[in-house]
Amino acid sequence: MPLREHRTPRVVREDVAMLELAILGFLYDTPLHGYELRKRITALTGHVRPIAESTLYPAIKRLEKAGLLERTTEPGAVAAPRHVLTLTGAGGQELRRRLAEPGRRDITDENRWFTVLAFLRHLDDPAAQSAVLRRRLAFLEEPASFFYDGDRPLSAEEFDDPFRRGILTIARATSRAETRWLRETLASLED
Amino acid sequence: MPLREHRTPRVVREDVAMLELAILGFLYDTPLHGYELRKRITALTGHVRPIAESTLYPAIKRLEKAGLLERTTEPGAVAAPRHVLTLTGAGGQELRRRLAEPGRRDITDENRWFTVLAFLRHLDDPAAQSAVLRRRLAFLEEPASFFYDGDRPLSAEEFDDPFRRGILTIARATSRAETRWLRETLASLED
DNA sequence: GGAGAATACATCGGAACCGATGTATTGCGA
DNA sequence: TCGCAATACATCGGTTCCGATGTATTCTCC
């Protein structure tokens, strides 16, 4: 008798979600080859978190292997031959699923959240879009403090480290701006 | 003749920097055991990006192996025995080095940047602190657009996708608030 | 007195990431 | 014409990351 069963749990790795989401999202609009895809991803999130080629190409392969996209080889317009990537039906479905049910970190981590937002229009049901925005709003409304004195959260005014004060100052400003935008957008989605 | 030499390049992995920085930063103040360290890291960045135990403990081991911290075993106050972690001289030096010369992504990625800010006071030279803040300021002043029409950046007003408009709206508000804080803090550091 | 949460650590395996490097071709400026 | 940048892809190795799981103790609530 084995001590435990060896299931293959198809662990959903939180960290890859963002890159794969971006690939699916861009291809949902139009087929692209890898190099162009890379330029668009770089424009979207590259200034904050660049994606290496050696990360992108394996990711494309994974998605292909999973049946979410297909490749067709074309003679290179200007250099080496291109692999034009086209989203499959399953790929489109998977994109919509990931947008409708983002993981917790897609909601909490600004980098990921922006990627979700960048493609949220592909979810054609406004109620589903609203639901996602409301999750983010709920997160922003959770009381979150960065620093504690024992169990008591410290406010920005209370400590003299100007850098830690800055963290709170900036986080608050961001939160206020985004909360406002979320409320406005939610209101306009309900028309 | 080998086609290439097999150097061991000591590749600096960008992604680990944040966690290790947080460990070094917290221990710089006072020795802690792993469990307490985890609670503090969770309070600092956990609401955005939680750290698994199975990430923290290996990280501690790495730092120990690198001679940046030392462990001493203590009988557990309430449960299992604790490993109290103490920063070595080399550890303090390394912390200051990482704070004074943050990698590009420590500057551009808000998550990492906040971690740098959280411990920047440990850099005792105000000029060095200023230099780090100025790097962030320079980054925020770079013209960065998320979406392009060919090569022309699109402003928030130009496209009708409300979610992409939101990204720009929020990013702008954040950038303005932080720029303002950076300028104020830089001014006060120069006194 | 039994269940469950909190304390406190640890390992293993699978997956994803990145830097370095390689291979070609085309276009452009010096 | 020489070299460099851009286009366009690919692999390898090393490292980190995480979920699942395990072990053991103590405290609290029912």
Side-chain angles (χ1 to χ4, degrees), chain B residues 13 15-16 19-20 49-52 54-55 62 78-79:
Chain B
R13 297 267 301 151
D15 31 334
V16 75
L19 175 57
E20 292 188 357
R49 194 190 187 313
I51 292 297
S54 51
T55 303
R62 282 199 302 275
V78 76

Side-chain angles (χ1 to χ4, degrees), chain A residues 64-75:
Chain A
E64 190 193 9
K65 215 168 154 185
L68 304 181
L69 57 84
E70 282 171 344
R71 297 193 217 212
T72 52
T73 301
E74 258 185 22

Side-chain angles (χ1 to χ4, degrees), chain A residues 41-68:
Chain A
I41 293 171
T42 298
L44 182 62
T45 54
H47 52 111
V48 166
R49 193 188 187 314
I51 292 296
E53 287 186 54
S54 50
T55 303
L56 176 62
Y57 288 112
I60 290 171
K61 272 195 186 167
R62 282 199 303 276
L63 293 175
E64 190 193 9
K65 215 168 154 185
L68 304 181

Side-chain angles (χ1 to χ4, degrees), chain B residues 18 21 33 43 45 47 75 82 86 95 108 122-123 127 132 166 173 181:
Chain B
M18 198 173 73
L21 188 67
H33 57 275
T45 53
H47 52 111
R82 294 165 163 183
T86 309
L95 171 67
T108 63
H122 291 143
L123 223 54
V132 176
W181 173 80

Side-chain angles (χ1 to χ4, degrees), chain A residues 38-114:
Chain A
R38 182 164 186 248
K39 283 201 293 187
R40 299 206 184 186
I41 293 171
T42 298
L44 182 62
T45 54
H47 52 111
V48 166
R49 193 188 187 314
I51 292 296
E53 287 186 54
S54 50
T55 303
L56 176 62
Y57 288 112
I60 290 171
K61 272 195 186 167
R62 282 199 303 276
L63 293 175
E64 190 193 9
K65 215 168 154 185
L68 304 181
L69 57 84
E70 282 171 344
R71 297 193 217 212
T72 52
T73 301
E74 258 185 22
V78 76
R82 296 164 162 184
H83 296 246
V84 176
L85 311 169
T86 309
L87 215 58
T88 63
Q93 223 180 308
E94 176 65 13
L95 171 67
R96 289 191 300 272
R97 197 194 59 72
R98 292 193 196 199
L99 288 172
E101 299 158 21
R104 165 137 182 104
R105 277 176 52 191
D106 295 323
I107 299 294
T108 63
D109 187 327
E110 203 190 32
N111 294 338
R112 296 162 169 286
W113 171 240
F114 274 13

